Amino acid sequence: MIAISYAHAIFVYMTLWLVLLLVLWFRSLLRRKRFQWQLTNSRLFDCDNCHYAFLTKEEVNLTRCPRCNAICIRRRKRRSAPFRP
C-alpha cells in the first residue's frame, strides 16, 4: 500500500475539489457567453391579446405569440421631442 499521512490526504482531496470547481466555473462562463440572449428592440415583441412580452431568435416584423398563438407585429415607437416649458 501507499503510505500517506492524513495531512497529505486532506491536501490532495481539497486540491482535487478546488480543481473540479474551477473547471466547472470556467465551463459555465464559456456556456453563458455562447448561449446568452441579447435584448434588442428588434427581437422584443409584446402580444396585444394576452400582453405577453417575449423574445424571438431572429429579427422579424411578424411572429406568433407562444402563449396564445396570436399574430404579433413589431411596432416601432416614435421618439417624441423633449418637453420644454
Side-chain angles (χ1 to χ4, degrees):
M1 286 209 31
I2 299 173
I4 188 168
S5 67
Y6 287 116
H8 285 104
I10 292 173
F11 176 74
V12 169
Y13 179 75
M14 295 301 283
T15 304
L16 290 176
W17 271 108
L18 182 63
V19 168
L20 178 68
L21 288 175
L22 287 174
V23 166
L24 291 175
W25 176 65
F26 185 69
R27 181 177 169 249
S28 70
L29 286 178
L30 290 177
R31 286 178 54 94
R32 185 181 309 159
K33 288 180 185 176
R34 195 173 353 155
F35 296 113
Q36 188 173 18
W37 280 90
Q38 294 150 353
L39 180 61
T40 60
N41 286 338
S42 60
R43 293 182 177 182
L44 180 64
F45 281 86
D46 187 29
C47 181
D48 293 330
N49 292 342
C50 64
H51 302 290
Y52 182 68
F54 59 96
L55 295 172
T56 59
K57 292 189 177 187
E58 61 273 346
E59 296 180 12
V60 293
N61 292 331
L62 188 69
T63 188
R64 290 201 173 263
C65 175
R67 182 183 283 173
C68 66
N69 206 23
I71 295 177
C72 299
I73 301 170
R74 181 174 49 98
R75 293 182 176 83
R76 296 184 183 257
K77 294 183 180 179
R78 295 183 190 170
R79 290 189 173 188
S80 60
F83 178 72
R84 294 184 185 168

